[in-house]
PDB file of all heavy atoms in Angstrom:
ATOM      1  N   PHE I  26     -48.148 140.752 190.926  1.00 98.00           N
ATOM      2  CA  PHE I  26     -48.230 140.576 192.377  1.00 98.00           C
ATOM      3  C   PHE I  26     -47.914 141.854 193.155  1.00 98.00           C
ATOM      4  O   PHE I  26     -47.999 141.873 194.378  1.00 98.00           O
ATOM      5  CB  PHE I  26     -47.371 139.390 192.804  1.00 98.00           C
ATOM      6  CG  PHE I  26     -47.860 138.092 192.221  1.00 98.00           C
ATOM      7  CD1 PHE I  26     -47.060 137.327 191.403  1.00 98.00           C
ATOM      8  CD2 PHE I  26     -49.168 137.681 192.456  1.00 98.00           C
ATOM      9  CE1 PHE I  26     -47.531 136.155 190.836  1.00 98.00           C
ATOM     10  CE2 PHE I  26     -49.655 136.503 191.892  1.00 98.00           C
ATOM     11  CZ  PHE I  26     -48.829 135.733 191.089  1.00 98.00           C
ATOM     12  N   VAL I  29     -52.003 142.480 193.067  1.00 97.00           N
ATOM     13  CA  VAL I  29     -52.869 141.549 193.811  1.00 97.00           C
ATOM     14  C   VAL I  29     -52.008 140.653 194.688  1.00 97.00           C
ATOM     15  O   VAL I  29     -50.826 140.426 194.411  1.00 97.00           O
ATOM     16  CB  VAL I  29     -53.712 140.681 192.863  1.00 97.00           C
ATOM     17  CG1 VAL I  29     -54.682 141.527 192.050  1.00 97.00           C
ATOM     18  CG2 VAL I  29     -52.827 139.846 191.942  1.00 97.00           C
ATOM     19  N   GLY I  30     -52.612 140.125 195.756  1.00 96.00           N
ATOM     20  CA  GLY I  30     -51.922 139.203 196.643  1.00 96.00           C
ATOM     21  C   GLY I  30     -52.091 137.771 196.189  1.00 96.00           C
ATOM     22  O   GLY I  30     -52.571 137.490 195.084  1.00 96.00           O
ATOM     23  N   THR I  31     -51.714 136.846 197.067  1.00 95.00           N
ATOM     24  CA  THR I  31     -51.749 135.410 196.728  1.00 95.00           C
ATOM     25  C   THR I  31     -52.409 134.576 197.816  1.00 95.00           C
ATOM     26  O   THR I  31     -52.239 133.360 197.842  1.00 95.00           O
ATOM     27  CB  THR I  31     -50.310 134.885 196.508  1.00 95.00           C
ATOM     28  OG1 THR I  31     -49.528 135.119 197.685  1.00 95.00           O
ATOM     29  CG2 THR I  31     -49.661 135.564 195.318  1.00 95.00           C
ATOM     30  N   GLU I  32     -53.166 135.215 198.702  1.00 92.00           N
ATOM     31  CA  GLU I  32     -53.762 134.490 199.826  1.00 92.00           C
ATOM     32  C   GLU I  32     -55.270 134.395 199.683  1.00 92.00           C
ATOM     33  O   GLU I  32     -55.910 135.289 199.121  1.00 92.00           O
ATOM     34  CB  GLU I  32     -53.432 135.201 201.145  1.00 92.00           C
ATOM     35  CG  GLU I  32     -51.945 135.288 201.466  1.00 92.00           C
ATOM     36  CD  GLU I  32     -51.334 133.927 201.748  1.00 92.00           C
ATOM     37  OE1 GLU I  32     -52.085 132.980 202.106  1.00 92.00           O
ATOM     38  OE2 GLU I  32     -50.101 133.800 201.597  1.00 92.00           O
ATOM     39  N   PRO I  33     -55.884 133.309 200.208  1.00 89.00           N
ATOM     40  CA  PRO I  33     -57.349 133.248 200.249  1.00 89.00           C
ATOM     41  C   PRO I  33     -57.900 134.424 201.030  1.00 89.00           C
ATOM     42  O   PRO I  33     -57.284 134.887 202.004  1.00 89.00           O
ATOM     43  CB  PRO I  33     -57.631 131.917 200.958  1.00 89.00           C
ATOM     44  CG  PRO I  33     -56.365 131.130 200.848  1.00 89.00           C
ATOM     45  CD  PRO I  33     -55.246 132.119 200.799  1.00 89.00           C
ATOM     46  N   SER I  34     -59.049 134.935 200.617  1.00 81.00           N
ATOM     47  CA  SER I  34     -59.605 136.108 201.269  1.00 81.00           C
ATOM     48  C   SER I  34     -60.360 135.790 202.546  1.00 81.00           C
ATOM     49  O   SER I  34     -60.487 136.629 203.434  1.00 81.00           O
ATOM     50  CB  SER I  34     -60.547 136.846 200.296  1.00 81.00           C
ATOM     51  OG  SER I  34     -61.720 136.092 200.080  1.00 81.00           O
ATOM     52  N   GLY I  35     -60.930 134.576 202.643  1.00 74.00           N
ATOM     53  CA  GLY I  35     -61.754 134.245 203.791  1.00 74.00           C
ATOM     54  C   GLY I  35     -63.104 134.930 203.788  1.00 74.00           C
ATOM     55  O   GLY I  35     -63.839 134.893 204.777  1.00 74.00           O
ATOM     56  N   GLU I  36     -63.440 135.596 202.684  1.00 75.00           N
ATOM     57  CA  GLU I  36     -64.695 136.323 202.559  1.00 75.00           C
ATOM     58  C   GLU I  36     -65.365 135.948 201.244  1.00 75.00           C
ATOM     59  O   GLU I  36     -64.830 135.175 200.440  1.00 75.00           O
ATOM     60  CB  GLU I  36     -64.446 137.840 202.596  1.00 75.00           C
ATOM     61  CG  GLU I  36     -63.752 138.329 203.854  1.00 75.00           C
ATOM     62  CD  GLU I  36     -64.672 138.370 205.063  1.00 75.00           C
ATOM     63  OE1 GLU I  36     -65.905 138.220 204.870  1.00 75.00           O
ATOM     64  OE2 GLU I  36     -64.170 138.525 206.188  1.00 75.00           O
ATOM     65  N   SER I  37     -66.540 136.501 200.993  1.00 76.00           N
ATOM     66  CA  SER I  37     -67.226 136.227 199.739  1.00 76.00           C
ATOM     67  C   SER I  37     -66.449 136.817 198.571  1.00 76.00           C
ATOM     68  O   SER I  37     -65.598 137.698 198.736  1.00 76.00           O
ATOM     69  CB  SER I  37     -68.636 136.808 199.771  1.00 76.00           C
ATOM     70  OG  SER I  37     -68.594 138.220 199.611  1.00 76.00           O
ATOM     71  N   GLN I  43     -63.572 143.195 203.117  1.00 80.00           N
ATOM     72  CA  GLN I  43     -62.241 142.582 203.148  1.00 80.00           C
ATOM     73  C   GLN I  43     -61.211 143.486 202.494  1.00 80.00           C
ATOM     74  O   GLN I  43     -60.103 143.677 203.005  1.00 80.00           O
ATOM     75  CB  GLN I  43     -62.293 141.224 202.425  1.00 80.00           C
ATOM     76  CG  GLN I  43     -61.043 140.361 202.598  1.00 80.00           C
ATOM     77  CD  GLN I  43     -59.939 140.708 201.627  1.00 80.00           C
ATOM     78  OE1 GLN I  43     -60.189 141.284 200.567  1.00 80.00           O
ATOM     79  NE2 GLN I  43     -58.722 140.365 201.990  1.00 80.00           N
ATOM     80  N   ARG I  47     -58.324 145.038 204.879  1.00 83.00           N
ATOM     81  CA  ARG I  47     -57.042 144.351 204.745  1.00 83.00           C
ATOM     82  C   ARG I  47     -56.275 144.756 203.497  1.00 83.00           C
ATOM     83  O   ARG I  47     -55.234 144.195 203.203  1.00 83.00           O
ATOM     84  CB  ARG I  47     -57.260 142.838 204.724  1.00 83.00           C
ATOM     85  CG  ARG I  47     -57.966 142.303 205.965  1.00 83.00           C
ATOM     86  CD  ARG I  47     -58.050 140.802 205.907  1.00 83.00           C
ATOM     87  NE  ARG I  47     -59.260 140.304 206.557  1.00 83.00           N
ATOM     88  CZ  ARG I  47     -59.696 139.073 206.468  1.00 83.00           C
ATOM     89  NH1 ARG I  47     -59.035 138.195 205.733  1.00 83.00           N
ATOM     90  NH2 ARG I  47     -60.794 138.697 207.095  1.00 83.00           N
ATOM     91  N   ARG I  50     -54.193 146.113 198.445  1.00 94.00           N
ATOM     92  CA  ARG I  50     -54.210 145.112 197.383  1.00 94.00           C
ATOM     93  C   ARG I  50     -55.352 144.122 197.623  1.00 94.00           C
ATOM     94  O   ARG I  50     -55.554 143.681 198.756  1.00 94.00           O
ATOM     95  CB  ARG I  50     -52.895 144.344 197.320  1.00 94.00           C
ATOM     96  CG  ARG I  50     -51.718 145.092 196.771  1.00 94.00           C
ATOM     97  CD  ARG I  50     -50.529 144.147 196.580  1.00 94.00           C
ATOM     98  NE  ARG I  50     -50.266 143.361 197.772  1.00 94.00           N
ATOM     99  CZ  ARG I  50     -49.576 142.224 197.805  1.00 94.00           C
ATOM    100  NH1 ARG I  50     -49.081 141.731 196.693  1.00 94.00           N
ATOM    101  NH2 ARG I  50     -49.371 141.586 198.937  1.00 94.00           N
ATOM    102  N   PRO I  51     -56.035 143.683 196.583  1.00 95.00           N
ATOM    103  CA  PRO I  51     -56.957 142.558 196.730  1.00 95.00           C
ATOM    104  C   PRO I  51     -56.203 141.326 197.211  1.00 95.00           C
ATOM    105  O   PRO I  51     -55.016 141.137 196.912  1.00 95.00           O
ATOM    106  CB  PRO I  51     -57.498 142.355 195.304  1.00 95.00           C
ATOM    107  CG  PRO I  51     -57.322 143.682 194.638  1.00 95.00           C
ATOM    108  CD  PRO I  51     -56.065 144.263 195.221  1.00 95.00           C
ATOM    109  N   ALA I  52     -56.887 140.482 197.957  1.00 93.00           N
ATOM    110  CA  ALA I  52     -56.229 139.312 198.558  1.00 93.00           C
ATOM    111  C   ALA I  52     -55.632 138.386 197.514  1.00 93.00           C
ATOM    112  O   ALA I  52     -54.561 137.812 197.720  1.00 93.00           O
ATOM    113  CB  ALA I  52     -57.233 138.549 199.423  1.00 93.00           C
ATOM    114  N   ASN I  53     -56.316 138.209 196.375  1.00 95.00           N
ATOM    115  CA  ASN I  53     -55.821 137.330 195.331  1.00 95.00           C
ATOM    116  C   ASN I  53     -56.483 137.716 194.003  1.00 95.00           C
ATOM    117  O   ASN I  53     -57.453 138.478 194.001  1.00 95.00           O
ATOM    118  CB  ASN I  53     -56.050 135.851 195.684  1.00 95.00           C
ATOM    119  CG  ASN I  53     -57.536 135.509 195.767  1.00 95.00           C
ATOM    120  OD1 ASN I  53     -58.214 135.422 194.745  1.00 95.00           O
ATOM    121  ND2 ASN I  53     -58.051 135.312 196.987  1.00 95.00           N
ATOM    122  N   PRO I  54     -55.997 137.189 192.892  1.00 97.00           N
ATOM    123  CA  PRO I  54     -56.533 137.616 191.592  1.00 97.00           C
ATOM    124  C   PRO I  54     -57.823 136.925 191.186  1.00 97.00           C
ATOM    125  O   PRO I  54     -58.378 137.247 190.133  1.00 97.00           O
ATOM    126  CB  PRO I  54     -55.408 137.242 190.614  1.00 97.00           C
ATOM    127  CG  PRO I  54     -54.694 136.118 191.273  1.00 97.00           C
ATOM    128  CD  PRO I  54     -54.774 136.361 192.748  1.00 97.00           C
ATOM    129  N   LEU I  55     -58.337 135.984 191.990  1.00 96.00           N
ATOM    130  CA  LEU I  55     -59.489 135.194 191.584  1.00 96.00           C
ATOM    131  C   LEU I  55     -60.780 135.612 192.263  1.00 96.00           C
ATOM    132  O   LEU I  55     -61.824 134.972 192.062  1.00 96.00           O
ATOM    133  CB  LEU I  55     -59.203 133.696 191.829  1.00 96.00           C
ATOM    134  CG  LEU I  55     -57.987 133.156 191.053  1.00 96.00           C
ATOM    135  CD1 LEU I  55     -57.815 131.665 191.299  1.00 96.00           C
ATOM    136  CD2 LEU I  55     -58.115 133.435 189.551  1.00 96.00           C
ATOM    137  N   ILE I  56     -60.749 136.675 193.065  1.00 94.00           N
ATOM    138  CA  ILE I  56     -61.964 137.296 193.555  1.00 94.00           C
ATOM    139  C   ILE I  56     -62.264 138.517 192.678  1.00 94.00           C
ATOM    140  O   ILE I  56     -61.437 138.921 191.872  1.00 94.00           O
ATOM    141  CB  ILE I  56     -61.833 137.696 195.042  1.00 94.00           C
ATOM    142  CG1 ILE I  56     -60.599 138.595 195.240  1.00 94.00           C
ATOM    143  CG2 ILE I  56     -61.773 136.470 195.935  1.00 94.00           C
ATOM    144  CD1 ILE I  56     -60.457 139.134 196.671  1.00 94.00           C
ATOM    145  N   GLY I  59     -59.707 141.324 192.729  1.00 96.00           N
ATOM    146  CA  GLY I  59     -58.470 140.963 192.049  1.00 96.00           C
ATOM    147  C   GLY I  59     -58.612 141.003 190.544  1.00 96.00           C
ATOM    148  O   GLY I  59     -57.725 141.484 189.830  1.00 96.00           O
ATOM    149  N   ARG I 171     -48.090 128.862 188.495  1.00 98.00           N
ATOM    150  CA  ARG I 171     -48.619 129.900 189.383  1.00 98.00           C
ATOM    151  C   ARG I 171     -50.144 129.935 189.341  1.00 98.00           C
ATOM    152  O   ARG I 171     -50.808 130.065 190.374  1.00 98.00           O
ATOM    153  CB  ARG I 171     -48.045 131.262 188.990  1.00 98.00           C
ATOM    154  CG  ARG I 171     -46.565 131.443 189.343  1.00 98.00           C
ATOM    155  CD  ARG I 171     -46.105 132.861 189.036  1.00 98.00           C
ATOM    156  NE  ARG I 171     -44.765 133.104 189.530  1.00 98.00           N
ATOM    157  CZ  ARG I 171     -43.677 133.138 188.764  1.00 98.00           C
ATOM    158  NH1 ARG I 171     -43.795 132.953 187.448  1.00 98.00           N
ATOM    159  NH2 ARG I 171     -42.483 133.346 189.282  1.00 98.00           N
ATOM    160  N   ALA I 174     -51.587 126.911 191.204  1.00 97.00           N
ATOM    161  CA  ALA I 174     -51.427 127.058 192.656  1.00 97.00           C
ATOM    162  C   ALA I 174     -52.501 127.985 193.226  1.00 97.00           C
ATOM    163  O   ALA I 174     -53.080 127.709 194.285  1.00 97.00           O
ATOM    164  CB  ALA I 174     -50.033 127.601 192.968  1.00 97.00           C
ATOM    165  N   LEU I 175     -52.782 129.070 192.527  1.00 97.00           N
ATOM    166  CA  LEU I 175     -53.811 129.997 192.989  1.00 97.00           C
ATOM    167  C   LEU I 175     -55.209 129.384 192.874  1.00 97.00           C
ATOM    168  O   LEU I 175     -56.079 129.629 193.710  1.00 97.00           O
ATOM    169  CB  LEU I 175     -53.735 131.306 192.209  1.00 97.00           C
ATOM    170  CG  LEU I 175     -52.551 132.193 192.620  1.00 97.00           C
ATOM    171  CD1 LEU I 175     -52.254 133.239 191.553  1.00 97.00           C
ATOM    172  CD2 LEU I 175     -52.835 132.877 193.960  1.00 97.00           C
ATOM    173  N   MET I 176     -55.437 128.567 191.856  1.00 97.00           N
ATOM    174  CA  MET I 176     -56.710 127.851 191.764  1.00 97.00           C
ATOM    175  C   MET I 176     -56.894 126.922 192.981  1.00 97.00           C
ATOM    176  O   MET I 176     -57.983 126.838 193.542  1.00 97.00           O
ATOM    177  CB  MET I 176     -56.761 127.024 190.481  1.00 97.00           C
ATOM    178  CG  MET I 176     -56.851 127.849 189.205  1.00 97.00           C
ATOM    179  SD  MET I 176     -56.622 126.849 187.707  1.00 97.00           S
ATOM    180  CE  MET I 176     -58.147 125.900 187.676  1.00 97.00           C
ATOM    181  N   ALA I 177     -55.838 126.240 193.362  1.00 96.00           N
ATOM    182  CA  ALA I 177     -55.925 125.311 194.489  1.00 96.00           C
ATOM    183  C   ALA I 177     -56.248 126.024 195.791  1.00 96.00           C
ATOM    184  O   ALA I 177     -57.059 125.547 196.597  1.00 96.00           O
ATOM    185  CB  ALA I 177     -54.621 124.529 194.629  1.00 96.00           C
ATOM    186  N   SER I 178     -55.632 127.191 196.005  1.00 95.00           N
ATOM    187  CA  SER I 178     -55.810 127.874 197.294  1.00 95.00           C
ATOM    188  C   SER I 178     -56.962 128.860 197.313  1.00 95.00           C
ATOM    189  O   SER I 178     -57.518 129.140 198.383  1.00 95.00           O
ATOM    190  CB  SER I 178     -54.520 128.600 197.675  1.00 95.00           C
ATOM    191  OG  SER I 178     -54.171 129.583 196.706  1.00 95.00           O
ATOM    192  N   CYS I 179     -57.346 129.389 196.134  1.00 94.00           N
ATOM    193  CA  CYS I 179     -58.308 130.497 196.101  1.00 94.00           C
ATOM    194  C   CYS I 179     -59.440 130.343 195.090  1.00 94.00           C
ATOM    195  O   CYS I 179     -60.372 131.147 195.097  1.00 94.00           O
ATOM    196  CB  CYS I 179     -57.581 131.812 195.775  1.00 94.00           C
ATOM    197  SG  CYS I 179     -56.130 132.167 196.776  1.00 94.00           S
ATOM    198  N   GLY I 180     -59.371 129.358 194.221  1.00 92.00           N
ATOM    199  CA  GLY I 180     -60.273 129.292 193.082  1.00 92.00           C
ATOM    200  C   GLY I 180     -61.723 129.058 193.402  1.00 92.00           C
ATOM    201  O   GLY I 180     -62.608 129.409 192.619  1.00 92.00           O
ATOM    202  N   MET I 181     -61.994 128.431 194.552  1.00 91.00           N
ATOM    203  CA  MET I 181     -63.385 128.163 194.941  1.00 91.00           C
ATOM    204  C   MET I 181     -63.771 129.012 196.147  1.00 91.00           C
ATOM    205  O   MET I 181     -64.603 128.636 196.972  1.00 91.00           O
ATOM    206  CB  MET I 181     -63.558 126.668 195.240  1.00 91.00           C
ATOM    207  CG  MET I 181     -63.211 125.767 194.066  1.00 91.00           C
ATOM    208  SD  MET I 181     -64.241 126.015 192.604  1.00 91.00           S
ATOM    209  CE  MET I 181     -65.747 125.221 193.120  1.00 91.00           C
ATOM    210  N   TYR I 182     -63.139 130.178 196.247  1.00 84.00           N
ATOM    211  CA  TYR I 182     -63.444 131.177 197.278  1.00 84.00           C
ATOM    212  C   TYR I 182     -63.254 130.593 198.675  1.00 84.00           C
ATOM    213  O   TYR I 182     -62.248 129.932 198.925  1.00 84.00           O
ATOM    214  CB  TYR I 182     -64.839 131.754 197.063  1.00 84.00           C
ATOM    215  CG  TYR I 182     -65.033 132.310 195.672  1.00 84.00           C
ATOM    216  CD1 TYR I 182     -66.075 131.868 194.869  1.00 84.00           C
ATOM    217  CD2 TYR I 182     -64.148 133.232 195.148  1.00 84.00           C
ATOM    218  CE1 TYR I 182     -66.245 132.373 193.581  1.00 84.00           C
ATOM    219  CE2 TYR I 182     -64.304 133.741 193.873  1.00 84.00           C
ATOM    220  CZ  TYR I 182     -65.352 133.295 193.094  1.00 84.00           C
ATOM    221  OH  TYR I 182     -65.494 133.779 191.821  1.00 84.00           O
ATOM    222  N   ASP I 183     -64.226 130.828 199.575  1.00 81.00           N
ATOM    223  CA  ASP I 183     -64.005 130.445 200.968  1.00 81.00           C
ATOM    224  C   ASP I 183     -64.314 128.968 201.233  1.00 81.00           C
ATOM    225  O   ASP I 183     -64.394 128.553 202.382  1.00 81.00           O
ATOM    226  CB  ASP I 183     -64.800 131.347 201.920  1.00 81.00           C
ATOM    227  CG  ASP I 183     -66.268 131.405 201.586  1.00 81.00           C
ATOM    228  OD1 ASP I 183     -66.643 131.023 200.472  1.00 81.00           O
ATOM    229  OD2 ASP I 183     -67.046 131.860 202.444  1.00 81.00           O
ATOM    230  N   SER I 185     -62.434 126.738 199.164  1.00 89.00           N
ATOM    231  CA  SER I 185     -61.397 126.177 198.306  1.00 89.00           C
ATOM    232  C   SER I 185     -60.726 124.967 198.948  1.00 89.00           C
ATOM    233  O   SER I 185     -60.475 123.962 198.278  1.00 89.00           O
ATOM    234  CB  SER I 185     -60.345 127.245 197.974  1.00 89.00           C
ATOM    235  OG  SER I 185     -60.901 128.272 197.213  1.00 89.00           O
TER     236      SER I 185
END
Side-chain angles (χ1 to χ4, degrees):
F26 296 120
V29 296
T31 57
E32 298 293 338
S34 70
E36 302 285 348
S37 75
Q43 191 276 338
R47 302 184 212 168
R50 287 188 309 160
N53 65 73
L55 300 183
I56 55 175
R171 288 185 173 104
L175 286 162
M176 291 170 71
S178 61
C179 309
M181 302 298 285
Y182 306 125
D183 54 344
S185 295

